[in-house]
Amino acid sequence: MEAENFQNYTLGEIYPNYSLEWEISNFIKVWIAVATSLSYCKFTSKLVPKGLPRLLTFSPVICLFLYLPLNLHSMHLCGTTSFFIAWLSNFKILLLAFNKGPLSDPSLSLPQFLAVGCFPIKIQPNPPPKSQTKQNPSPQNPQNGHKSLWNYAIKVLLVAAFVRIYNYSEHIHPKVILVLYCFHIYFMLEIMFAMVAALARATVGSKLEPQFDEPYLSTSLQDFWGRRWNIMVTSILRPTVYGPALRVWTRVLGRKWAPLPAVFVTFMVSAVMHELIFYYLGRGRPTGKITGFFILHGVCLVVEIGMKKVLKGRCRLPPAVSRPLTIGFVVVTGFWLFLPELRRCRGFVRAFDEYMLAAAFVKDIVGGAVKFRNDDGTGK
């Protein structure tokens, strides 16, 4: 696989009418529609009984949320919007139709309901005392998923360094560029979700459900997918897909082995939702590689869980061995099946161009403000 030259294309060539102002205008309209639709869901949920009647009442909103991302073309704005509303919000609305999930809490105010519905938000109105948190820290999330500002600052600097390095991609081995792509995706996702967390805390006092817990420390696929990578997706898939599938398969296979097909069904649903997000990003017919990626990982995870049940904790590999094996498997399969789809929709090219557009936009604003100040506000 050859490294991609970031100077070959521009967003203007891919979307002739594209401009940052036009995209931001569409972005605002989309989210006004989202807020209005979720307000409708909150008020109708009090009037319509749970079950099929409420699901039919919510169905126009679900369809609208599947349509809205088509109005955006930016890798960052379209990607996050499709993830938040076409996937997470729709799944939360489906749970609300049966009076389940985070939106079913009757104590949520309208702003909190909108925040929980729009973003991967976890409301914590009564956080535990600091002394209790120190005495009984969570093994998976010792600091409620929030990292220090230095942690995010370093990742921002690393992303900026990656962008500079990409300009010289023709002089760098393609495999090195692919490794940088992997870190770039992880860092950008964590940075964007941290920004949403800050916005949530500033508006409704909510905390963002941690999306990542140092996934590069994973000691198994179960650890990677279930505890460290995209934790909010796991918490949404569990009640919407895994739980119902587990109940069905328990009747067939019994409680011990039912989790295996339930896990595989969950990965299949995740594959479909990822294919949908990639369609929003590239507007091209799916090739099946994303589905293949999740089927492969689903099968391997099922085998891993089955072996753990059979061995009952025996023959456990030390972390020094299991960590590189786990991350190596994720990275290699990502090179093979996942990254080619990002390249097919020119994901990194477009993201790079968006950085340049955003920098120029900020420069124009700052330059205009400085000129206005030098002119003493007269504009003369």
Side-chain angles (χ1 to χ4, degrees):
M1 182 183 296
E2 296 180 358
E4 194 162 18
N5 190 331
F6 275 65
Q7 298 175 344
N8 285 344
Y9 311 101
T10 65
L11 274 174
E13 292 173 335
I14 302 172
Y15 301 109
N17 297 324
Y18 187 91
S19 70
L20 189 59
E21 294 82 358
W22 173 69
E23 184 75 357
I24 291 175
S25 175
N26 287 342
F27 182 72
I28 293 172
K29 294 175 184 177
V30 164
W31 281 94
I32 290 175
V34 170
T36 304
S37 300
L38 285 173
S39 299
Y40 161 82
C41 290
K42 177 174 176 59
F43 291 115
T44 55
S45 65
K46 299 178 181 179
L47 304 175
V48 181
K50 66 179 181 179
L52 184 59
R54 192 183 293 181
L55 179 61
L56 293 175
T57 304
F58 291 166
S59 59
V61 174
I62 295 172
C63 294
L64 177 64
F65 282 8
L66 291 173
Y67 165 76
L68 286 176
L70 295 172
N71 294 279
L72 301 172
H73 300 86
S74 159
M75 286 295 297
H76 297 88
L77 299 183
C78 180
T80 53
T81 298
S82 60
F83 172 60
F84 285 170
I85 67 172
W87 188 348
L88 296 185
S89 293
N90 269 346
F91 277 40
K92 291 174 185 177
I93 291 172
L94 288 173
L95 289 172
L96 178 61
F98 298 93
N99 212 31
K100 298 179 179 180
L103 294 180
S104 63
D105 184 354
S107 66
L108 292 178
S109 64
L110 179 59
Q112 289 176 328
F113 186 92
L114 294 178
V116 172
C118 291
F119 309 116
I121 295 293
K122 181 179 181 180
I123 297 292
Q124 293 181 337
N126 297 309
K130 292 183 178 180
S131 59
Q132 180 179 345
T133 304
K134 291 179 180 179
Q135 293 174 3
N136 302 298
S138 169
Q140 297 175 13
N141 191 18
Q143 296 179 349
N144 295 325
H146 299 291
K147 300 180 176 64
S148 68
L149 290 176
W150 281 109
N151 184 289
Y152 293 114
I154 291 172
K155 289 171 181 174
V156 169
L157 292 175
L158 287 172
V159 170
F162 293 162
V163 172
R164 297 295 298 172
I165 292 172
Y166 295 151
N167 287 327
Y168 306 96
S169 58
E170 65 272 15
H171 304 298
I172 303 174
H173 195 281
K175 293 297 186 293
V176 175
I177 295 296
L178 290 177
V179 172
L180 294 183
Y181 285 174
C182 293
F183 282 103
H184 189 157
I185 293 170
Y186 165 53
F187 290 157
M188 282 305 305
L189 286 174
E190 193 162 14
I191 291 167
M192 285 190 291
F193 289 129
M195 293 170 62
V196 175
L199 177 62
R201 288 195 297 271
T203 53
V204 294
S206 305
K207 290 186 178 181
L208 182 70
E209 187 76 22
Q211 282 292 324
F212 304 97
D213 183 14
E214 314 300 346
Y216 45 82
L217 297 179
S218 301
T219 55
S220 66
L221 288 178
Q222 188 176 21
D223 187 30
F224 180 86
W225 290 114
R227 304 184 185 96
R228 294 184 179 275
W229 181 267
N230 238 344
I231 299 171
M232 187 58 192
V233 169
T234 302
S235 66
I236 289 297
L237 286 173
R238 186 174 290 115
T240 54
V241 181
Y242 177 79
L246 182 64
R247 288 192 291 272
V248 171
W249 283 102
T250 298
R251 302 190 190 107
V252 180
L253 299 177
R255 187 66 181 85
K256 180 178 180 180
W257 298 107
L260 303 186
V263 165
F264 185 75
V265 170
T266 304
F267 268 78
M268 287 298 298
V269 173
S270 181
V272 171
M273 299 312 299
H274 278 87
E275 290 280 15
L276 179 64
I277 291 175
F278 271 85
Y279 175 78
Y280 290 133
L281 293 176
R283 311 295 160 87
R285 179 178 298 179
T287 63
K289 288 186 176 181
I290 296 298
T291 299
F293 176 85
F294 283 97
I295 288 177
L296 175 62
H297 277 256
V299 169
C300 292
L301 181 53
V302 166
V303 172
E304 177 185 299
I305 295 173
M307 291 180 64
K308 288 179 179 178
K309 288 180 176 293
V310 172
L311 296 175
K312 298 180 180 180
R314 301 187 298 270
C315 301
R316 182 174 297 177
L317 295 175
V321 176
S322 60
R323 280 175 179 161
L325 285 177
T326 301
I327 300 306
F329 179 77
V330 173
V331 170
V332 170
T333 54
F335 285 178
W336 175 30
L337 296 169
F338 206 91
L339 289 183
E341 291 302 284
L342 277 175
R343 289 169 54 86
R344 190 170 73 98
C345 66
R346 296 178 177 177
F348 292 101
V349 176
R350 291 159 57 191
F352 180 80
D353 204 25
E354 287 169 24
Y355 299 148
M356 300 300 102
L357 287 173
F361 183 73
V362 172
K363 183 178 180 181
D364 288 343
I365 293 177
V366 173
V370 171
K371 184 178 184 301
F372 184 81
R373 180 181 178 184
N374 291 340
D375 292 338
D376 293 327
T378 62
K380 298 180 180 178

